[in-house]
Amino acid sequence: MEYDFRKIEQDWQKKWKDNNVYAVSNESAKPKYYVLDMFPYPSGAGLHVGHPLGYIASDIYSRYKRLKGFNVLHPMGFDSFGLPAEQYALETGQHPATTTEKNIATFKAQLDKIGFCYDWEREVRTSDPGYYKWTQWIFLKLYDSYFDEKENKATPIVELIKSFEKEGSATHNSPLTTHTFTAEQWNAFTKKEQEDILMKRRLAFSKYGEVNWCEALGTVLANDEVVNGVSERGGHPVVKKKMRQWYLRITDYADRLLAGLETVDFSDSMKEMQRNWIGKSEGAEVTFKVVNRESSGVSAELTTHHSPLTVYTTRPDTIFGVDFMVVAPELDIINEITSETQKAAVDEYVAYVKSRSDVDRMAEKKITGCFTGAYAINPFDGKEIPVWISEYVLAGYGTGAIMAVPCGDERDFKFAQHFNIPITNIIGSHYTGEEANPTKEAILENSGFLNGLLMKDAIGVALNKIEELGIGKRKVNYRMRDAGFSRQRYWGEPFPIIWSDGIAIPLDAEELPLELPHVDTYGPGPEGEGPLANIKDWVDVGRNTPDGVFNTNTPQGVFLQEGRRETSTMPGYAGSSWYFLRYMDPNNANEFCDRKASDYWNQVDLYIGGTEHAVGHLLYSRMWTKVLYDLGLIGYDEPFKKLLNQGMITGVSEFIRQLIIDRDLIDSNKGFQRVLDFFVQGKQVSIKIPFGRGNNHIYVSQDVNFEFVLQTIDNSNSLSVVKSNYWEHHAKIKFINQSPEKSILNIDEWMQEEPVYENSVLICKNGYWLSGVYHDFEGNVINQKLEFLTRSVNEKMSKSKLNTHNPDDLVTKYGADTFRMYEMFLGPVETSKPWDTKGIEGVHRFLRKLWRLFNDDIKGPIWTTAPSSSLEENENSSKPGAAAPSPLEFPSEEKGRGEARGGEVATDAELKVLHRTIKKIEEDTERFSFNTAVSAFMICVNELADMKCNKKEVLEKLLILLTPYAPHIAEELWNQLVNSGSILDAEYPAFNAALLVESSKEYPVSINGKLRTNLTLALDIDQKQVEELVLQNEIVQKWLEGKDPKKIIFVKNKMINVVI
RNA sequence: GCCCAUGUGGCGGAAUUGGUAGACGCAGCAGACUCAAAAUCUGCCAUUCGCAAGGGUGUGAAGGUUCGAUUCCUUUCGUGGGCACCA
């Protein structure tokens, strides 16, 4: 009987579904285990082979735990709000809800084909109103809470209000509440004044923040929609703009997020990344007086005095080495301190910085800055320190200003060098003048009262002095900032907030969900608001009620006359911050999750997902969990007990390049010959380019040392085409081989990112890409040359890169079991690797070989073609090397299959193979080393096949081991063998160590660390006996050359090393 | 620029705590079976010198620690991912 995987998989998938075998109950006598995958965004491209990598791993582990007797929750759902669907809607007019629905159906069908053990009854979708009702509800909890610094936890804000009403700001003052007030004052404040103060304390709050603003598109852009300072779509300028936004006060949780890391099982690198993101540092804020000095004459005078400048530093010990100050260009204080003479330069520089994207500011190695004309006064020695502004200092961190110590800080050093600022050396010989040295081990020099102190000791001394003089104070700082929580977009959760007279009024819980209204267009609203702003009827509440009055009573009892809905929506991470809770109780209409359910399932025991979420999603969901815990809504404050990071499967992306030449240049240079010369690995290649035809562009690829030259006919003039004149597009390229010498480049598809270059001409278009075939000027097909016309690179799979690979084809061709095992066999789950299908045959062969252990003659060369049913019942192993018997002879000669499988007792050797495999598979599965587990299965099957072992006692246990990895074939063979029950609930075989006990061991013998021979020794041998035996060995004698060994190292069960 | 990861045959990878580098699979080569193909089976397969026995070299590179290093340390180069230039 052949291994008909298609039929087997289809049949069992149907049977499993019909029998509801994956349904999970919230009540069970078994211990619970919760395995969670990071749920996918249902992209239009469908599932690609990178998705299942983690899903297969979690599925294997879930099934393994089930066999081990656990009640396992292993759900799946969809992170179905997000920008791509909205972008697609903009382009095609299709509603995101429609396309999302369609995409989810595709995803589910694809997932089911791979045979995952999901309980689909528990599916969640973040864009489902039944789900986002509770996202909005939790948002309101955040809004209605503040962080009590004494209790170190989230607390309902009514408590704060009560306290304000009773005792003013006395008990609950915080740095965020800028002024203090008495109870009387509080009660006398207007509603607006009160709300403004409260807004500064809420965990979800609104304030002004900077966004990437694109005037031409009338919209706010995400960082990755901005390329080279212009919008990705259209190439329009992008500037920073202040707009009202919502934030989550995650910074209040910084310490607990740090402390919580100690309690969870994440990889060290993951914890490190989160720690770095949170970026706790201890230092001081120090205040410097600022003066101006007009540089009008030799006898320069200090003219004006300004408000002081406060800097944050972690190295107060270096305060005597401060040679200049740098202020972030965004800071308002700049206007105040800038001198008349420097004003123009400063304004210009500020404008320049405003035009720079964050990405640019990051990638730029160029040093820029501008002197303000102001000087700060060192409080210790009165030294005048020039105050500069530069984009390398960020407004959002610390005070937005630094004291620069060039001898100790690399960036400060480069800045000083670039602008010729004299450098003070305070660390003696530790500073070479060539580069900065950030040591803490130097003895301080030129440092006033700190002279002679070791730097790390001086930190405390300086801090004390600073506090003593009242010029500053100790300060703990976090680099993490509060999380932006609003997006000016459509396809997200609407905020359950109404604005009235500048006061945010939350909806009542009964009014949730606030459903996302239908829109006709997905373009931005006025003033950069989201598309929701265009729906007047929805936005303006209060006008539509019969009496013209909106009558929501807020918790504060405000009677609203008129209001305007918040038109932003929540970001992608809103829904994903708590979805693991909803799976526990997915259909609850009254609560986000029944407390009984969340207590039963408790934390996620194993969470599998990619490292790209290291700091975003993981920190947000950890924070939400802590808030829910603080408010008494769940019983634990870390969501994920263990995190396993799956590596990325990368795909090969190919590019074509679009060459853009300035139209004016071409028009005025009609003499240009249409030749493009370029050099690839030193070789010059020419392609003749026609122009003059409309719509001209050529697609070529980028390569190293690659340069285009347009030349005039007489070679007297040439035009170099520099890199910025290219536009590179992801593309799908096929080389069609027509003959060995000729291959034709065919572009199947390419991503046109619509660059708008109004003053450019695109050279050589479709006329010369006839039907996807590239022709040169004479109309000849260009063949071999095209190989280097494309560039390819391995990168993260995504639809927009056109490098995705779909699992369906492979599942159809080889079956789900093969596909599952192959993805695991590729390598460790944690490492990223390029996608390649060439090893899949080997895994498929393995499953067929396994199948033959049960269903075929072991050596059988031709039985797969013998269809007789009597054969199936009577086949058996023939002798190795013996010619295959003809079907007719077979039954009379050999034992029946059932007898052979059931009747014999397994030999010691066979049991040894089995138990070695049990041990290996169990260990490997436990440590998520699925690739080595697959290879252990292969070894086991190879060995059993060599022994011609087809005994039930051995095989049925092997099947159970295999079930998590290849459930379909395991279930099929299990039923052939045993005929009762499902293997999914079989009992995991116990490992018997006694079967593997050996009496001797073959030791490698090295001489001076180099392996020379082997010695088989008894297990209980001691050092002395070993030395004797080793010295007797003739190979050892040969290498000793008559000398005595210096030492003989014997490590029991490991090795022997003779040192000469 | 910063943070994290990673680098082993032609390829994917193995070596679990510092102890025989290259398990398992792919590809390749040789052979068996076959009219032939497919399927299956057997053998070889890091590199170099050698007929062989047996040596030399070898885990991105250079140093170091150790009886012994793919594994630990320092420096350095390449690649992938992330980023908010974090003082």
Side-chain angles (χ1 to χ4, degrees):
Chain A
M1 192 163 78
E2 246 180 297
Y3 171 36
D4 185 354
F5 55 86
R6 287 192 193 94
K7 183 167 187 313
I8 291 168
E9 291 176 1
Q10 241 171 36
D11 287 357
W12 281 111
Q13 280 174 10
K14 184 167 186 303
K15 267 185 225 174
W16 287 333
K17 195 177 171 193
D18 292 347
N19 290 301
N20 231 352
V21 293
Y22 297 138
V24 180
S25 166
N26 279 4
E27 278 167 34
S28 168
K30 297 175 182 173
K32 72 95 192 183
Y33 200 88
Y34 186 0
V35 181
L36 182 65
D37 290 288
M38 289 183 185
F39 61 169
Y41 173 78
S43 122
L47 201 67
H48 60 69
V49 292
H51 286 113
L53 185 73
Y55 302 161
I56 294 168
S58 65
D59 199 63
I60 288 172
Y61 204 74
S62 302
R63 290 171 179 275
Y64 168 77
K65 278 291 182 185
R66 178 169 175 168
L67 291 171
K68 283 278 193 177
F70 288 81
N71 185 29
V72 180
L73 178 58
H74 180 220
M76 182 48 80
F78 300 94
D79 190 12
S80 45
F81 271 136
L83 205 50
E86 186 165 342
Q87 202 59 48
Y88 192 69
L90 262 173
E91 287 159 18
T92 66
Q94 292 190 64
H95 197 275
T98 317
T99 52
T100 300
E101 182 74 31
K102 216 172 82 196
N103 293 347
I104 288 179
T106 310
F107 265 65
K108 283 180 77 168
Q110 289 182 299
L111 289 169
D112 280 341
K113 270 195 237 166
I114 303 173
F116 293 120
C117 61
Y118 304 133
D119 178 359
W120 281 120
E121 291 300 304
R122 289 175 182 263
E123 174 190 345
V124 304
R125 299 178 185 188
T126 55
S127 62
D128 179 353
Y131 180 87
Y132 69 68
K133 169 181 180 176
W134 299 108
T135 309
Q136 291 171 333
W137 185 84
I138 297 172
F139 167 80
L140 290 182
K141 286 286 168 201
L142 288 156
Y143 178 81
D144 280 331
S145 304
Y146 76 108
F147 194 81
D148 185 319
E149 291 182 359
K150 290 200 184 67
E151 298 285 324
N152 197 26
K153 61 182 268 204
T155 308
I157 200 150
V158 289
E159 302 295 324
L160 184 66
I161 296 170
K162 273 188 220 156
S163 157
F164 284 167
E165 283 168 351
K166 243 184 7 213
E167 43 195 302
S169 62
T171 318
H172 283 286
N173 197 19
S174 108
L176 297 166
T177 326
T178 42
H179 58 292
T180 55
F181 45 82
T182 64
E184 291 71 37
Q185 284 173 311
W186 169 263
N187 293 323
F189 284 154
T190 62
K191 187 72 200 162
K192 173 89 167 74
E193 285 168 331
Q194 288 182 346
E195 283 299 327
D196 284 350
I197 289 167
L198 291 175
M199 190 61 103
K200 291 198 170 122
R201 303 297 295 273
R202 297 177 186 277
L203 289 180
F205 66 100
S206 173
K207 68 167 183 183
Y208 281 88
E210 284 199 335
V211 292
N212 298 316
W213 173 250
C214 180
E215 185 69 46
L217 296 173
T219 186
V220 175
L221 297 175
N223 268 344
D224 58 299
E225 292 177 294
V226 184
V227 179
N228 298 326
V230 296
S231 65
E232 192 185 23
R233 280 178 298 133
H236 305 296
V238 175
V239 295
K240 287 273 148 57
K241 185 185 172 183
K242 283 202 167 174
M243 281 178 69
R244 182 166 276 285
Q245 301 290 341
W246 285 91
Y247 293 86
L248 298 187
R249 211 179 294 286
I250 193 171
T251 49
D252 279 349
Y253 278 89
D255 267 327
R256 280 175 61 191
L257 288 169
L258 275 176
L261 286 177
E262 305 302 326
T263 70
V264 293
D265 183 6
F266 294 6
S267 71
D268 288 343
S269 60
M270 181 62 51
K271 289 183 179 182
E272 192 63 18
M273 272 191 261
Q274 294 206 2
R275 280 191 205 106
N276 289 340
W277 187 263
I278 294 167
K280 182 175 183 170
S281 67
E282 292 176 22
E285 278 184 6
V286 186
T287 302
F288 290 74
K289 286 193 182 113
V290 178
V291 297
N292 272 120
R293 171 197 286 280
E294 292 302 342
S295 53
S296 51
V298 210
S299 60
E301 286 292 319
L302 297 180
T303 51
T304 31
H305 289 261
H306 302 286
S307 44
L309 180 64
T310 302
V311 301
Y312 175 72
T313 180
T314 53
R315 294 296 300 274
D317 55 314
T318 61
I319 194 157
F320 289 94
V322 178
D323 291 316
F324 57 102
M325 312 289 260
V326 189
V327 180
E330 291 91 343
L331 256 55
D332 292 336
I333 192 175
I334 293 168
N335 296 324
E336 201 186 319
I337 63 173
T338 301
S339 70
E340 280 307 312
T341 43
Q342 287 300 105
K343 194 166 185 351
V346 165
D347 286 349
E348 193 186 325
Y349 185 74
V350 169
Y352 156 78
V353 171
K354 214 170 175 181
S355 74
R356 304 261 293 154
S357 75
D358 290 353
V359 179
D360 278 348
R361 281 175 70 169
M362 263 186 297
E364 192 62 75
K365 288 169 196 164
K366 198 168 69 184
I367 296 159
T368 64
C370 182
F371 178 48
T372 61
Y375 292 83
I377 307 296
N378 190 319
F380 290 112
D381 59 8
K383 197 168 109 181
E384 288 175 24
I385 309 162
V387 180
W388 288 67
I389 58 175
S390 173
E391 57 180 334
Y392 85 88
V393 171
L394 300 179
Y397 183 76
T399 61
I402 62 158
M403 52 179 231
V405 184
C407 74
D409 182 279
E410 196 53 40
R411 261 192 331 248
D412 297 348
F413 177 80
K414 286 189 176 138
F415 193 88
Q417 268 200 327
H418 188 261
F419 290 107
N420 285 319
I421 301 168
I423 295 172
T424 308
N425 179 16
I426 54 168
I427 53 176
S429 59
H430 286 84
Y431 173 66
T432 57
E434 297 295 312
E435 56 180 2
N437 184 346
T439 181
K440 287 183 184 172
E441 304 298 329
I443 305 283
L444 284 161
E445 297 175 13
N446 297 326
S447 289
F449 68 95
L450 297 173
N451 274 336
L453 286 174
L454 192 62
M455 292 179 99
K456 53 184 179 188
D457 300 333
I459 294 175
V461 177
L463 280 171
N464 288 339
K465 193 81 174 181
I466 287 164
E467 291 193 326
E468 198 182 305
L469 294 177
I471 53 168
K473 57 179 191 297
R474 283 181 163 81
K475 178 84 198 265
V476 172
N477 230 327
Y478 300 95
R479 75 173 210 142
M480 181 170 66
R481 300 204 287 256
D482 284 328
F485 196 66
S486 46
R487 303 287 183 262
Q488 283 64 54
R489 303 285 181 175
Y490 171 69
W491 192 231
E493 299 88 348
F495 281 87
I497 292 284
I498 291 163
W499 290 95
S500 178
D501 294 334
I503 301 172
I505 317 284
L507 297 189
D508 285 346
E510 299 79 62
E511 296 175 79
L512 303 179
L514 172 61
E515 289 205 30
L516 191 57
H518 194 276
V519 286
D520 294 321
T521 62
Y522 307 94
E527 304 294 310
E529 281 191 80
L532 290 179
N534 292 326
I535 320 174
K536 264 191 113 18
D537 288 353
W538 183 82
V539 171
D540 296 330
V541 287
R543 286 186 188 163
N544 291 332
T545 47
D547 55 359
V549 173
F550 185 82
N551 55 4
T552 294
N553 284 309
T554 70
Q556 285 79 39
V558 175
F559 197 68
L560 255 187
Q561 292 304 310
E562 194 170 286
R564 192 171 186 279
R565 289 191 194 278
E566 170 65 56
T567 59
S568 301
T569 53
M570 298 186 198
Y573 67 81
S576 61
S577 288
W578 70 283
Y579 73 115
F580 57 93
L581 291 167
R582 190 64 179 172
Y583 283 131
M584 301 171 179
D585 192 12
N587 301 312
N588 193 331
N590 305 313
E591 280 178 278
F592 73 103
C593 175
D594 180 33
R595 181 65 192 261
K596 246 168 69 191
S598 69
D599 280 350
Y600 173 70
W601 289 111
N602 209 270
Q603 288 166 288
V604 174
D605 294 283
L606 175 64
Y607 193 30
I608 300 187
T611 45
E612 64 266 32
H613 301 293
V615 287
H617 161 66
L618 282 168
L619 280 175
Y620 301 133
S621 48
R622 290 182 61 214
M623 177 209 172
W624 283 46
T625 304
K626 287 178 193 305
V627 174
L628 293 173
Y629 171 79
D630 289 350
L631 298 177
L633 298 165
I634 56 173
Y636 38 91
D637 82 336
E638 280 292 342
F640 315 118
K641 215 183 222 170
K642 176 169 177 65
L643 176 70
L644 179 69
N645 289 117
Q646 93 200 50
M648 204 164 332
I649 294 191
T650 56
V652 177
S653 302
E654 295 167 306
F655 296 91
I656 52 175
R657 300 199 94 191
Q658 186 173 23
L659 175 62
I660 297 126
I661 308 281
D662 196 311
R663 184 196 299 271
D664 296 342
L665 244 167
I666 287 178
D667 287 348
S668 62
N669 286 283
K670 288 217 159 62
F672 274 113
Q673 187 183 328
R674 296 154 218 174
V675 174
L676 289 180
D677 288 336
F678 56 95
F679 299 89
V680 178
Q681 290 159 357
K683 270 202 296 197
Q684 182 178 343
V685 180
S686 303
I687 292 184
K688 295 177 182 175
I689 300 301
F691 55 72
R693 296 170 68 109
N695 243 356
N696 290 330
H697 54 206
I698 178 176
Y699 301 103
V700 289
S701 75
Q702 178 188 23
D703 218 313
V704 216
N705 307 320
F706 184 137
E707 158 183 29
F708 284 94
V709 182
L710 277 178
Q711 294 170 312
T712 50
I713 292 162
D714 59 3
N715 282 335
S716 62
N717 204 350
S718 70
L719 163 66
S720 284
V721 181
V722 294
K723 202 176 172 191
S724 58
N725 291 67
Y726 301 104
W727 199 270
E728 200 172 61
H729 304 274
H730 278 93
K732 252 187 190 166
I733 299 167
K734 257 192 223 150
F735 285 97
I736 303 165
N737 279 320
Q738 292 206 317
S739 65
E741 320 79 59
K742 254 191 187 174
S743 63
I744 292 173
L745 178 69
N746 187 21
I747 297 176
D748 276 3
E749 201 185 335
W750 59 291
M751 296 302 284
Q752 192 169 10
E753 279 104 8
E754 299 175 65
V756 177
Y757 285 91
E758 289 179 0
N759 295 318
S760 71
V761 146
L762 306 175
I763 293 187
C764 182
K765 204 186 168 174
N766 287 340
Y768 290 84
W769 280 102
L770 298 170
S771 342
V773 178
Y774 186 72
H775 290 72
D776 70 7
F777 188 44
E778 268 79 39
N780 302 315
V781 172
I782 295 182
N783 38 54
Q784 307 95 306
K785 284 179 185 170
L786 291 177
E787 283 190 41
F788 39 75
L789 292 182
T790 61
R791 180 169 81 96
S792 65
V793 72
N794 253 314
E795 58 183 355
K796 185 174 169 175
M797 278 191 196
S798 87
K799 190 187 177 190
S800 64
K801 291 176 182 139
L802 295 172
N803 64 346
T804 59
H805 294 269
N806 187 302
D808 296 357
D809 301 344
L810 290 171
V811 171
T812 306
K813 190 164 176 199
Y814 297 102
D817 286 336
T818 300
F819 180 75
R820 291 166 64 103
M821 293 195 88
Y822 178 61
E823 283 230 355
M824 292 300 97
F825 192 55
L826 275 178
V829 212
E830 297 98 319
T831 61
S832 61
K833 50 228 152 207
W835 179 246
D836 195 343
T837 56
K838 69 183 177 199
I840 198 165
E841 291 279 354
V843 175
H844 192 61
R845 255 172 240 163
F846 152 74
L847 285 178
R848 282 209 306 260
K849 193 165 185 176
L850 171 85
W851 180 265
R852 284 199 308 277
L853 278 183
F854 293 78
N855 275 301
D856 226 39
D857 165 57
I858 279 166
K859 302 296 288 183
I862 55 169
W863 293 105
T864 48
T865 55
S868 147
S869 62
S870 64
L871 243 186
E872 275 173 33
E873 288 165 13
N874 293 296
E875 68 194 22
N876 199 350
S877 54
S878 60
K879 296 184 173 59
S886 84
L888 285 176
E889 299 166 346
F890 191 64
S892 57
E893 290 277 325
E894 310 285 345
K895 275 185 260 177
R897 168 179 145 217
E899 195 184 331
R901 306 269 140 91
E904 284 175 32
V905 175
T907 64
D908 284 354
E910 289 165 346
L911 287 175
K912 207 173 217 175
V913 170
L914 174 68
H915 281 263
R916 210 161 49 211
T917 307
I918 293 175
K919 181 166 189 273
K920 178 77 177 153
I921 298 299
E922 190 166 344
E923 282 173 2
D924 283 357
T925 306
E926 288 283 359
R927 69 188 174 104
F928 313 106
S929 180
F930 304 113
N931 57 326
T932 53
V934 174
S935 98
F937 279 123
M938 289 173 170
I939 292 169
C940 176
V941 167
N942 286 344
E943 286 177 347
L944 291 180
D946 285 346
M947 292 172 173
K948 298 184 291 296
C949 169
N950 53 12
K951 287 160 193 157
K952 186 178 167 187
E953 184 187 352
V954 173
L955 294 185
E956 71 177 6
K957 295 212 166 103
L958 175 61
L959 283 183
I960 302 172
L961 298 182
L962 186 70
T963 301
Y965 292 79
H968 310 86
I969 191 175
E971 181 78 290
E972 171 69 20
L973 291 173
W974 174 262
N975 274 267
Q976 286 181 19
L977 215 55
V978 186
N979 271 327
S980 71
S982 165
I983 198 169
L984 303 183
D985 290 310
E987 193 187 331
Y988 206 79
F991 166 61
N992 182 355
L995 290 165
L996 298 190
V997 172
E998 306 273 355
S999 59
S1000 64
K1001 147 125 192 133
E1002 188 179 39
Y1003 282 91
V1005 179
S1006 300
I1007 289 158
N1008 284 343
K1010 278 197 199 304
L1011 179 72
R1012 296 301 177 191
T1013 185
N1014 286 302
L1015 262 183
T1016 302
L1017 301 174
L1019 275 190
D1020 53 359
I1021 198 161
D1022 66 24
Q1023 170 87 25
K1024 215 175 142 217
Q1025 292 169 295
V1026 169
E1027 288 187 15
E1028 276 171 31
L1029 285 166
V1030 165
L1031 290 177
Q1032 279 165 28
N1033 182 284
E1034 57 183 89
I1035 293 171
V1036 173
Q1037 280 302 323
K1038 187 186 115 190
W1039 284 95
L1040 277 174
E1041 293 170 333
K1043 286 176 266 183
D1044 278 336
K1046 280 194 192 127
K1047 209 198 275 184
I1048 293 175
I1049 291 156
F1050 169 62
V1051 183
K1052 202 160 186 174
N1053 267 319
K1054 295 280 187 198
M1055 44 58 71
I1056 296 161
N1057 190 16
V1058 182
V1059 186
I1060 302 175

